[in-house]
Amino acid sequence: MYLGPLATDTRIAEDFTRQLLAVHGEAFDLWQLPAVPYGIAPSTPEPTLSLTITEFTTLLNTLVAQYMRA
């Protein structure tokens, strides 16, 4: 069974962010942080890795806190 290319959503998000930074990065002091290759996809069949809303929120809060400390 062919599942298509892997990490497509992550690659699209990274490319979008690069384009956004190229146009507005300096004016708004924007940064590109590493992509979070996990998400919330409750209706997606296996083998997709999906987090609950609580897990995803906790992950994002932890990452932001770590970047703020760095």
Side-chain angles (χ1 to χ4, degrees), residues 37-64:
Y38 307 107
I40 302 166
S43 63
T44 305
E46 299 294 332
T48 299
L49 176 61
S50 180
L51 303 175
T52 66
I53 292 173
T54 302
E55 292 167 336
F56 190 68
T57 302
T58 301
L59 173 62
L60 292 180
N61 286 334
T62 301
L63 291 173
V64 168

Side-chain angles (χ1 to χ4, degrees), residues 5-68:
L6 299 176
T8 304
D9 293 347
T10 302
R11 292 176 185 165
I12 291 170
E14 289 171 335
D15 188 54
F16 173 79
T17 304
R18 275 192 292 278
Q19 292 178 39
L20 183 68
L21 287 173
V23 176
H24 302 289
E26 287 292 321
F28 293 97
D29 191 27
L30 301 176
W31 303 3
Q32 181 169 4
L33 301 176
V36 177
Y38 307 107
I40 302 166
S43 63
T44 305
E46 299 294 332
T48 299
L49 176 61
S50 180
L51 303 175
T52 66
I53 292 173
T54 302
E55 292 167 336
F56 190 68
T57 302
T58 301
L59 173 62
L60 292 180
N61 286 334
T62 301
L63 291 173
V64 168
Q66 293 297 318
Y67 277 110
M68 297 296 289

